[in-house]
Amino acid sequence: MKKHNYKVSRAGAMQPRDYSAEADAAPHHYSENMAAVQRHADDKSHGGNVEDEKFASATVTLNCDVISEDMEIAGFERATLKTALTWVAIVCTAGLLRLVFHWLPQYYLKCTHRRCSLAAADTVLLRDQYFQWFVHLVKTLRATDDQSNKDGLSMSPIGASPYLLIPDSGGRFREVTHIRYFVSKKLKYIWDEDTKSFNCLRSLDTDTPCSYFYGCQGLQEEEQTIRRQVYGVNAIRVRVWPILEILFREVLTPFYIFQVFSCTLWFIDEYVYYAAAIVIMSVASLSFYCYSFRTMQMELRNKIVTHDIVSVWRGGELVETIEAELLVPGDIVIVPHHGCLMQCDAVLLSGNCIVDESMLTGESVPVTKTPLPNPKVDKKQGPLYCIKEHARHTLFCGTKVIQTRYYGNEKVKAMVVRTGFSTSKGELVRSILFPKPMSFKFNRHTYYFILCLSGCAFIGLIYTFIVMSRDNTPVGDMVVRALDLITIAVPPALPMALTIGIVYARQRLKEKDIYCLNQNSVNICGVINAVCFDKTGTLTEDGLDMWGVVPVIDSRWKPIIHNTTEMDQGHIQVCMATCHSLTIIDEELCGDPLDLKMFQSTGWDLEEPAIADSVKFDQMMPTVVRPKKPRFGTSTEDVGQGESMQPEIGIVRQFTFSSSLQRMSVITRALGASNFDLYVKGSPEMIVSLSKPETVPANFAEVLQTYTMQGYRVIAIAHKPLPDLKWVKAMRITREQVEQDLDFFGLLVMENRLKPETTPVIKILNDVNIRTIMVTGDNMLTALSVARECQMVGMYDQVILINATPTGVAYVNSEHVDVEPAAHPKEEGNFLAAGDSSDVRRKDKRYHFAMTGSSFANLRNCHRHLLPKIVQRGTIFARMNPEQKAFLVEHIQELGYNVAMCGDGANDCGALKTAHAGISLSEAEASVASPFTSLQQNIKCVPTVIREGRAALVTSFGMFKYMACYSLCQFTSVMILYNIGCNLTDFEFLWIDLCLLTVLGIFFGRTAAHSVLVKATPPDSLLGATPLLSVLGQMVIMVLVQIVVYFYIQTKSWFTPFVRNHEKEYASYENHAVFIISQFQYIILAFVFSKGAPYRKTILSNYYFVAAMGILTAACIYITLYPMQWIINLLELHPPDSLTFNLQFIAIALVNLAACLICEMFLVEFLFFRILKNKYKVLRRTKHVYETIEKELRNDRSWPPVETSHEHKRKATEEALRSPSSDTAVILGEATKPTHATADLLHRNDNAKPFLRNLSTNSQSLLISPPSGGASVGTSPVNDSAYAETQYQSSL
């Protein structure tokens, strides 16, 4: 039978390809529920093999519009005969095979189903890009199915002609009688008969023209009900597992199954005490796990699930109130004037909304949403709605509408485009529920090590059968003894022992107000070597603070003014009081935090017209500002054409801030004044380019650089009188007509204060070679200054800006780089030209990349081959959205880094969950997504978590080696005694297992973390040469000592050999010698493997452990030298009568201790780890990807091809002119900001003529650059448009 391979695109096109050989699926990893995958992700390794390739060759690739991830799918149908045979095998194996199928359900699917086409499949097998497997039933939904009680919601009857509606392109819906579908990762995939594929259920955000939304009149209840049958309820539900389900899922894991097997065997063998102890500890461990897991699920559900009532428009004047869970795409909701929490993604159709989007972006600045533009064209020809491009017109689920504004009685309407898990909030929740699986080397290697121990157990099992069959031992006893040997070689208490260090680390973290939700992340923190930080609220305080004002009078700088309330009421203070977008909502002043700080620093009051907040929509009555304490003194700069300062000023018109224009402005009029005034604020370079040259100080660039290099945020202000402007014209004039020929009045200097803990922590991390990265949604300028101030970027390090477009990547010298902090800004030599800084970079290669989210997206999509190099040196990532933050963390992980993420906002949730260790500084949504939550709102918790992680990892390493050596040591004792038909007695086992092992194991991990971080990270591989040599060396010593003692006691004249018997009477000299020396060996192993510095404090600080070792050693000496008779009877000892011989046991134990210490400290740690590994490359670990890339970057002096900002603008202009379009003027005018050199290029190119003519009327978009090849900072302004036009005319 031929198989087909299908590649399904977003458009759904599919082309089959034939394969001659039948392909079969051989999955490596699967979890039926992703929450279980999340719990065990650290313990699984994923990799492909030949069968995986076969699976891929016969599968379909699903492209999901919402999650944009590739998944491979294969169809299966039930095979009756295979099912019957499988269940016969399950019965014959007493259910053991079914248990294996529980761990690997994909094999159960193969054994009970046969491959078929997707059209005939009743079950599908999926594999995602992380090699995780999912089995899903294909369900059929018919229009006649009863939906009345589905999801607990009431459904209205559909009618006499039932049908279902499935979405089609262009916003249309198609009628069908039934659909086939399955649900994976909370998303529904439906069968498309046209493309013969399963496609993600689309919503109205795909292939829908903008004009469609204005042609809709709302849904009637019947159509809403029909659509809801397909889309389901509008709810983001997090299932909380019942206690019994959590319990059984955990009990059925391989480790606990092995414990059940061991304890059962021990009870059969009457080894009751230790079996009971293991049962009690396991029950306690399971109870704690079930409680913590269910608590975490409930917290996630409580913080995510919301319920609300909404009003939907049914057309005309009919408005109905329904539950938000009943909404479907196509419903038109009425947004209440007092605001609400959005329950879906909806496109705004009428009115304005002021929205708090901090849940998505992390920025608390209220955003004004405006209606979607209504194109006056045919629906089929209109522009398509894109939720990213039209974000300013979209209300996102989970965001809070603070207030609505509208004309008169007009309602604020929005059409639902996405519901449930398809919404923006749903994507965020799914990123929490289904994170990228993390594979930690230590956890993987524990399985390999256990396989080695199992191999030893198998060898011992064969040996036991041979020896006991020679002695004619009954088969039952032989089987019990052989199985008992397995429980000795593979200790059932190993899982609990490995968590000892983690439990103590969590306890210590809790004492420092750091809470850990996922204990698997503690050990991973021990190998963290890269930390990503959010900026606002994490590195810095929230918002900006006013630092001072630097006035300019007669083109000369005046002394800085820190107390702005005491300023003269001239143009600077009036600009600060009027040039903003603040508004009053519920009697509280709201708006951009920067504007808010600026206005509050003036000490003025703001009054809006006495009308309801909800109707402040293009109101004609102006907003008025006035001083709280009017002062009528004169000023050197009067407001209003020579008249004295007026106490009241009205804001007549506002031109809002534009990131592309880098400025905002307002038209104002003072009470009683005869003319209007224009006040402008924005980036210094932009304001200078729009100002008259004679009003700008000659040393503008130097002064500006002085403040920016010290990390301040600098804003320039300017003024222009409008004497001939009338009221009507003021309402219609464009900003391009007025924002030119300004009078430059000075600088506002603001500081984004670092938290006092930030710089010391960054320095600590840098000193120990832990890479620090800033990932922020804030602008690049602020991010650069903060990175400098907190020493994330060194004072002599260069920052190279990455400007990536779909057609190319430019590497541009950032402005003000490679400069010392300007403590003495006027001294010569403190400022380097861009060309010189490039030379500095090429000598020591200390440079950092900085880029925005748009450049990062272009790199991922169009220049992926450059991404590893750029991410390797990337330090500053600005304007990053939540999805991009998570992608960045993934790319850093792909380089081989172990990444931690520290953030405080809901927009950090994806990155917090993706990182190996997420640390949240918030108790809101971010705390649910991250394994760690710090109640201390600063990054001081980061080195604390890393220190505790290192201590826990070293403890786990030591504990694992101790448990492995303990089991092999006891295995050796039993094997020696089996040779003569003897064994350790039950109470000897109990003394070793319960008193020695358990007590020492409990206190082994109490050693606290070292107070100082060091550069070297602890090893994370159990299969490395060092840990293997350590275990092997210790075991050689232990085995030799036991063998020597076993044979040495037989040389004594009073020795009598053991006589075999079937009564389990094991008292003998051989038993006594092996037991006595082995009890000392367990204490020696605990001491040797209990490492202190540099990751843990000295062992002497662990008082409980030292006391336990002292007491147990004393007890062992007592048992060796002169035990009481009841102890002899209890342990069934056979001690020699010679005290001299018993003292020899103590001497041998001391020799054993010395040999173990020499082996561990000299041979392993010093000779091998420090000398031989450095001398021979073959002994060193394989280099990580990032180490290889870093070496290439250091050796390649030709990359990156750094340009100055001046050169970059010229190249951008050339590229635009080579491909002229109607947007060329806009691109050149706003993006490239042409200078003198650009004009020289323009006048030589015929394509530039239209641009030059447009340029003369758009000079406000020009940015002044220095005539020389220096860094691109503002200098003496020149009218570039006039210069360019002159050059062009001369060329003609």
Side-chain angles (χ1 to χ4, degrees):
M1 181 177 66
K2 293 182 179 180
K3 301 295 179 185
H4 300 288
N5 175 268
Y6 298 103
K7 296 295 180 182
V8 183
S9 66
R10 282 180 176 243
M14 173 187 61
Q15 297 294 332
R17 186 166 72 225
D18 292 339
Y19 290 87
S20 56
E22 180 174 354
D24 200 9
H28 260 247
H29 174 66
Y30 162 85
S31 177
E32 186 176 0
N33 189 295
M34 278 301 300
V37 172
Q38 179 180 340
R39 284 191 290 115
H40 301 294
D42 291 338
D43 303 330
K44 306 295 180 183
S45 61
H46 309 300
N49 57 15
V50 176
E51 290 188 291
D52 284 331
E53 295 174 1
K54 290 180 180 180
F55 178 87
S57 66
T59 58
V60 178
T61 299
L62 294 181
N63 289 331
C64 177
D65 293 331
V66 177
I67 55 179
S68 299
E69 63 180 0
D70 291 335
M71 297 184 69
E72 295 174 337
I73 179 173
F76 290 83
E77 62 182 357
R78 173 74 69 176
T80 306
L81 180 59
K82 293 177 69 175
T83 302
L85 292 176
T86 299
W87 276 99
V88 169
I90 290 173
V91 172
C92 293
T93 58
L96 183 61
L97 182 60
R98 185 65 186 88
L99 184 62
V100 174
F101 285 151
H102 172 77
W103 297 331
L104 301 170
Q106 68 272 23
Y107 289 109
Y108 179 73
L109 182 68
K110 286 181 58 179
C111 292
T112 57
H113 291 67
R114 59 172 171 266
R115 289 290 302 275
C116 66
S117 65
L118 291 177
D122 55 31
T123 308
V124 290
L125 177 65
L126 297 97
R127 184 181 68 180
D128 64 10
Q129 67 268 42
Y130 306 123
F131 292 94
Q132 295 180 124
W133 296 89
F134 310 90
V135 174
H136 298 294
L137 295 177
V138 178
K139 302 178 182 179
T140 301
L141 175 64
R142 304 183 185 280
T144 55
D145 290 345
D146 183 14
Q147 302 286 324
S148 57
N149 293 321
K150 187 177 180 181
D151 298 307
L153 297 172
S154 60
M155 296 278 191
S156 301
I158 295 176
S161 301
Y163 57 87
L164 296 175
L165 291 174
I166 60 174
D168 208 343
S169 61
R172 296 182 298 271
F173 283 78
R174 182 157 41 98
E175 295 183 6
V176 295
T177 58
H178 69 280
I179 61 170
R180 297 175 63 241
Y181 72 96
F182 67 87
V183 178
S184 178
K185 294 185 179 181
K186 302 294 185 180
L187 295 178
K188 181 178 290 186
Y189 295 84
I190 63 174
W191 177 253
D192 190 333
E193 287 290 347
D194 296 332
T195 62
K196 301 298 181 183
S197 64
F198 283 102
N199 297 321
C200 185
L201 179 63
R202 71 166 74 205
S203 298
L204 295 180
D205 61 322
T206 306
D207 298 331
T208 305
C210 293
S211 56
Y212 165 82
F213 297 101
Y214 286 95
C216 298
Q217 299 297 317
L219 299 180
Q220 297 303 313
E221 184 179 1
E222 179 180 345
E223 186 176 0
Q224 182 193 57
T225 304
I226 295 173
R227 290 192 186 186
R228 192 163 55 249
Q229 285 186 285
V230 176
Y231 283 101
V233 295
N234 173 40
I236 302 175
R237 294 176 176 172
V238 178
R239 179 173 176 261
V240 177
W241 295 1
I243 292 291
L244 288 179
E245 182 177 353
I246 300 173
L247 178 64
F248 278 107
R249 284 180 180 272
E250 188 66 14
V251 167
L252 293 179
T253 56
F255 271 128
Y256 278 106
I257 289 296
F258 184 68
Q259 281 193 342
V260 170
F261 163 76
S262 301
C263 291
T264 303
L265 181 66
W266 291 335
F267 279 118
I268 293 174
D269 198 30
E270 298 181 357
Y271 187 42
V272 178
Y273 299 102
Y274 186 63
I278 292 294
V279 169
I280 292 172
M281 288 188 290
S282 298
V283 170
S285 176
L286 281 170
S287 301
F288 176 76
Y289 173 80
C290 292
Y291 171 77
S292 59
F293 187 82
R294 183 175 169 84
T295 301
M296 184 177 65
Q297 283 190 328
M298 293 178 67
E299 287 180 359
L300 179 62
R301 181 193 62 182
N302 295 338
K303 290 182 178 180
I304 286 174
V305 176
T306 58
H307 301 278
D308 203 354
I309 303 296
V310 297
S311 298
V312 294
W313 182 49
R314 301 294 193 191
E317 298 297 325
L318 180 59
V319 176
E320 183 181 350
T321 300
I322 63 173
E323 295 180 34
E325 293 185 349
L326 298 178
L327 292 175
V328 296
D331 271 326
I332 296 180
V333 298
I334 307 298
V335 184
H337 68 85
H338 54 77
C340 64
L341 185 67
M342 289 301 299
Q343 304 294 322
C344 60
D345 287 349
V347 58
L348 193 60
L349 302 180
S350 63
N352 283 4
C353 291
I354 301 174
V355 185
D356 177 7
E357 291 190 332
S358 59
M359 194 278 293
L360 294 179
T361 65
E363 302 297 328
S364 58
V365 180
V367 179
T368 300
K369 300 285 186 175
T370 57
L372 182 73
N374 184 11
K376 297 181 180 179
V377 293
D378 184 76
K379 292 183 180 180
K380 296 182 180 179
Q381 299 175 352
L384 295 179
Y385 170 73
C386 176
I387 204 162
K388 290 185 178 179
E389 294 179 5
H390 297 94
R392 299 287 293 184
H393 316 294
T394 305
L395 305 175
F396 294 101
C397 181
T399 60
K400 185 177 181 180
V401 178
I402 301 174
Q403 194 177 83
T404 62
R405 294 185 172 180
Y406 48 87
Y407 286 114
N409 295 323
E410 181 182 2
K411 293 180 173 62
V412 179
K413 300 175 183 176
M415 179 179 286
V416 178
V417 292
R418 299 192 302 192
T419 59
F421 280 97
S422 297
T423 62
S424 53
K425 181 180 178 181
E427 293 176 8
L428 179 63
V429 175
R430 286 193 301 106
S431 70
I432 297 174
L433 295 177
F434 311 116
K436 176 184 176 180
M438 290 183 295
S439 181
F440 186 37
K441 191 182 295 184
F442 174 79
N443 292 338
R444 292 201 313 269
H445 288 181
T446 56
Y447 288 93
Y448 300 147
F449 216 103
I450 289 172
L451 286 177
C452 295
L453 295 178
S454 301
C456 295
F458 182 73
I459 295 173
L461 186 144
I462 296 175
Y463 173 80
T464 301
F465 276 117
I466 294 174
V467 170
M468 292 191 172
S469 60
R470 182 189 61 191
D471 298 335
N472 298 320
T473 304
V475 175
D477 291 343
M478 191 185 305
V479 171
V480 171
R481 292 279 73 79
L483 295 178
D484 189 41
L485 201 63
I486 296 177
T487 65
I488 293 173
V490 185
L494 182 60
M496 288 184 291
L498 293 180
T499 62
I500 291 293
I502 297 174
V503 170
Y504 285 121
R506 291 179 66 178
Q507 183 179 349
R508 291 192 295 265
L509 287 172
K510 186 177 181 180
E511 293 173 357
K512 299 173 183 176
D513 292 330
I514 302 172
Y515 293 87
C516 176
L517 298 179
N518 183 2
Q519 67 177 19
N520 291 331
S521 298
V522 176
N523 277 345
I524 300 179
C525 291
V527 290
I528 291 297
N529 52 9
V531 184
C532 296
F533 292 98
D534 182 34
K535 184 186 73 67
T536 307
T538 303
L539 298 175
T540 66
E541 304 287 355
D542 290 323
L544 295 168
D545 292 305
M546 178 62 68
W547 187 75
V549 175
V550 187
V552 171
I553 300 176
D554 297 331
S555 71
R556 293 181 180 275
W557 298 106
K558 297 299 179 183
I560 188 167
I561 301 172
H562 292 288
N563 189 355
T564 55
T565 58
E566 300 299 326
M567 291 173 56
D568 292 329
Q569 293 174 1
H571 286 302
I572 293 180
Q573 194 174 55
V574 173
C575 180
M576 295 170 61
T578 59
C579 194
H580 52 70
S581 56
L582 302 178
T583 186
I584 296 176
I585 300 176
D586 294 333
E587 299 182 358
E588 183 178 352
L589 198 60
C590 300
D592 190 302
L594 187 149
D595 287 346
L596 200 57
K597 287 287 185 181
M598 179 185 69
F599 180 77
Q600 290 173 344
S601 69
T602 64
W604 287 37
D605 286 327
L606 181 143
E607 292 184 3
E608 289 186 334
I611 57 177
D613 293 341
S614 57
V615 295
K616 294 173 183 175
F617 189 83
D618 290 351
Q619 68 266 23
M620 297 297 293
M621 296 293 293
T623 298
V624 175
V625 294
R626 61 167 61 90
K628 291 183 179 179
K629 296 180 180 179
R631 291 178 288 117
F632 297 94
T634 58
S635 168
T636 55
E637 42 172 353
D638 294 331
V639 178
Q641 290 190 336
E643 299 182 8
S644 61
M645 181 68 182
Q646 300 297 325
E648 293 187 1
I649 299 175
I651 304 174
V652 177
R653 181 84 184 276
Q654 181 186 106
F655 298 109
T656 57
F657 175 79
S658 168
S659 58
S660 60
L661 298 179
Q662 303 177 41
R663 64 185 183 272
M664 77 162 293
S665 60
V666 291
I667 297 176
T668 68
R669 188 169 185 175
L671 181 63
S674 58
N675 64 280
F676 291 93
D677 292 277
L678 176 77
Y679 291 99
V680 188
K681 81 172 193 296
S683 69
E685 294 88 353
M686 177 57 67
I687 299 303
V688 165
S689 70
L690 303 177
S691 300
K692 298 174 184 176
E694 61 271 16
T695 65
V696 181
N699 62 340
F700 166 78
E702 183 179 348
V703 172
L704 174 63
Q705 195 168 19
T706 300
Y707 293 114
T708 56
M709 279 306 302
Q710 296 180 66
Y712 293 115
R713 177 80 175 272
V714 182
I715 300 170
I717 56 177
H719 166 261
K720 179 183 180 180
L722 303 173
D724 300 326
L725 192 65
K726 304 300 180 184
W727 181 277
V728 175
K729 189 175 181 180
M731 294 295 103
R732 298 179 180 178
I733 198 169
T734 63
R735 66 190 308 168
E736 289 79 8
Q737 293 175 284
V738 293
E739 291 176 347
Q740 54 184 323
D741 298 328
L742 307 175
D743 294 324
F744 185 78
F745 272 99
L747 301 174
L748 303 181
V749 184
M750 309 188 79
E751 58 177 344
N752 190 191
R753 293 179 183 171
L754 286 174
K755 293 182 178 180
E757 301 84 3
T758 296
T759 302
V761 169
I762 296 297
K763 186 178 186 303
I764 289 173
L765 298 179
N766 289 338
D767 289 345
V768 297
N769 293 338
I770 295 178
R771 185 179 166 195
T772 54
I773 302 160
M774 184 188 300
V775 190
T776 177
D778 210 338
N779 64 70
M780 177 62 74
L781 182 63
T782 304
L784 283 170
S785 65
V786 170
R788 288 281 188 191
E789 187 179 358
C790 71
Q791 300 180 18
M792 192 174 288
V793 174
M795 66 171 63
Y796 298 108
D797 293 355
Q798 183 186 12
V799 178
I800 300 174
L801 298 179
I802 301 295
N803 184 14
T805 64
T807 57
V809 180
Y811 307 89
V812 188
N813 266 339
S814 68
E815 298 174 355
H816 326 313
V817 297
D818 283 321
V819 188
E820 297 182 29
H824 306 285
K826 294 186 180 181
E827 295 180 4
E828 285 190 26
N830 275 10
F831 299 98
L832 300 175
D836 297 333
S837 66
S838 179
D839 294 336
V840 173
R841 177 186 63 79
R842 296 184 188 282
K843 289 179 182 178
D844 60 14
K845 307 300 288 183
R846 293 185 63 186
Y847 61 90
H848 306 258
F849 288 134
M851 72 195 74
T852 61
S854 59
S855 290
F856 178 72
N858 286 325
L859 284 171
R860 292 188 71 247
N861 298 329
C862 308
H863 311 284
R864 206 172 184 90
H865 63 287
L866 294 174
L867 206 55
K869 288 184 177 181
I870 293 175
V871 170
Q872 171 60 25
R873 286 294 182 94
T875 301
I876 303 167
F877 297 83
R879 294 298 185 198
M880 299 282 282
N881 63 38
E883 185 181 33
Q884 289 171 337
K885 289 184 178 183
F887 283 147
L888 174 62
V889 171
E890 285 188 14
H891 287 300
I892 299 174
Q893 290 172 335
E894 288 170 0
L895 297 182
Y897 284 103
N898 295 298
V899 186
M901 172 70 192
C902 184
D904 69 328
N907 62 319
D908 299 317
C909 286
L912 288 169
K913 201 67 178 178
T914 304
H916 291 101
I919 306 173
S920 169
L921 304 184
S922 167
E923 296 184 70
E925 293 90 344
S927 64
V928 181
S930 59
F932 299 93
T933 299
S934 172
L935 300 185
Q936 301 175 0
Q937 304 300 307
N938 57 69
I939 65 171
K940 192 176 179 180
C941 58
V942 174
T944 301
V945 170
I946 294 176
R947 283 198 303 269
E948 291 295 347
R950 290 183 175 186
L953 180 59
V954 169
T955 300
S956 296
F957 251 89
M959 197 66 194
F960 190 92
K961 292 193 294 183
Y962 176 55
M963 292 296 293
C965 289
Y966 144 76
S967 61
L968 291 176
C969 189
Q970 194 173 77
F971 177 79
T972 301
S973 301
V974 173
M975 293 288 287
I976 292 173
L977 296 177
Y978 271 9
N979 184 53
I980 59 174
C982 187
N983 196 0
L984 295 175
T985 67
D986 286 348
F987 279 96
E988 287 175 340
F989 273 122
L990 193 64
W991 167 250
I992 294 171
D993 293 341
L994 192 59
C995 297
L996 296 180
L997 175 69
T998 304
V999 173
L1000 291 176
I1002 289 175
F1003 297 126
F1004 187 96
R1006 286 198 85 258
T1007 306
H1010 203 279
S1011 58
V1012 178
L1013 280 176
V1014 295
K1015 289 185 178 181
T1017 58
D1020 61 345
S1021 171
L1022 280 172
L1023 300 183
T1026 303
L1028 287 179
L1029 186 62
S1030 174
V1031 171
L1032 183 61
Q1034 299 297 329
M1035 283 313 305
V1036 168
I1037 295 172
M1038 298 301 174
V1039 171
L1040 287 176
V1041 169
Q1042 288 195 29
I1043 292 175
V1044 166
V1045 169
Y1046 173 76
F1047 285 107
Y1048 178 64
I1049 199 172
Q1050 297 180 26
T1051 63
K1052 299 303 177 180
S1053 58
W1054 39 260
F1055 172 79
T1056 56
F1058 172 74
V1059 179
R1060 299 174 185 270
N1061 61 80
H1062 298 291
E1063 287 76 24
K1064 295 183 180 181
E1065 296 291 339
Y1066 296 140
S1068 62
Y1069 285 121
E1070 296 94 334
N1071 170 283
H1072 183 84
V1074 171
F1075 167 73
I1076 289 297
I1077 199 62
S1078 67
Q1079 65 176 349
F1080 288 106
Q1081 289 181 330
Y1082 300 122
I1083 300 175
I1084 292 170
L1085 287 172
F1087 177 75
V1088 169
F1089 288 139
S1090 184
K1091 300 288 181 66
Y1095 306 114
R1096 305 199 310 170
K1097 291 182 178 180
T1098 174
I1099 188 177
L1100 299 178
S1101 66
N1102 189 346
Y1103 305 117
Y1104 292 96
F1105 184 66
V1106 172
M1109 281 199 304
I1111 294 173
L1112 292 174
T1113 302
C1116 291
I1117 293 174
Y1118 176 74
I1119 293 174
T1120 302
L1121 296 180
Y1122 194 77
M1124 296 180 67
Q1125 188 60 43
W1126 68 269
I1127 295 178
I1128 295 175
N1129 297 336
L1130 181 68
L1131 298 178
E1132 299 181 47
L1133 299 176
H1134 190 54
D1137 293 333
S1138 173
L1139 180 62
T1140 304
F1141 184 82
N1142 290 335
L1143 286 172
Q1144 292 178 12
F1145 279 122
I1146 307 299
I1148 294 173
L1150 291 175
V1151 173
N1152 192 347
L1153 173 62
C1156 289
L1157 289 175
I1158 292 172
C1159 175
E1160 186 71 13
M1161 300 178 67
F1162 178 74
L1163 295 180
V1164 176
E1165 294 186 358
F1166 177 75
L1167 183 61
F1168 179 81
F1169 186 74
R1170 297 185 182 180
I1171 297 179
L1172 295 181
K1173 285 188 72 172
N1174 292 331
K1175 188 174 181 180
Y1176 300 103
K1177 293 183 179 180
V1178 70
L1179 297 177
R1180 301 175 194 168
R1181 63 171 176 80
T1182 306
K1183 284 189 175 182
H1184 293 292
V1185 177
Y1186 69 84
E1187 292 174 313
T1188 304
I1189 295 175
E1190 183 63 28
K1191 184 177 180 181
E1192 292 176 359
L1193 291 177
R1194 289 184 179 274
N1195 295 333
D1196 187 358
R1197 296 183 177 275
S1198 63
W1199 193 90
V1202 182
E1203 306 170 3
T1204 63
S1205 300
H1206 179 73
E1207 293 169 346
H1208 173 60
K1209 294 169 188 173
R1210 182 186 181 92
K1211 287 188 177 182
T1213 306
E1214 289 175 346
E1215 182 180 352
L1217 292 176
R1218 281 194 295 269
S1219 305
S1221 65
S1222 58
D1223 296 329
T1224 299
V1226 176
I1227 294 171
L1228 294 176
E1230 294 183 1
T1232 62
K1233 302 177 178 65
T1235 62
H1236 299 299
T1238 306
D1240 290 333
L1241 171 68
L1242 294 175
H1243 84 267
R1244 295 195 300 268
N1245 195 307
D1246 292 337
N1247 293 326
K1249 186 171 182 179
F1251 167 67
L1252 287 169
R1253 290 179 177 172
N1254 184 56
L1255 202 63
S1256 62
T1257 60
N1258 289 279
S1259 61
Q1260 73 280 353
S1261 64
L1262 300 178
L1263 174 66
I1264 303 306
S1265 292
S1268 63
S1272 174
V1273 295
T1275 58
S1276 301
V1278 190
N1279 192 329
D1280 276 356
S1281 61
Y1283 172 78
E1285 181 67 31
T1286 303
Q1287 294 292 327
Y1288 182 79
Q1289 293 297 337
S1290 344
S1291 68
L1292 296 179

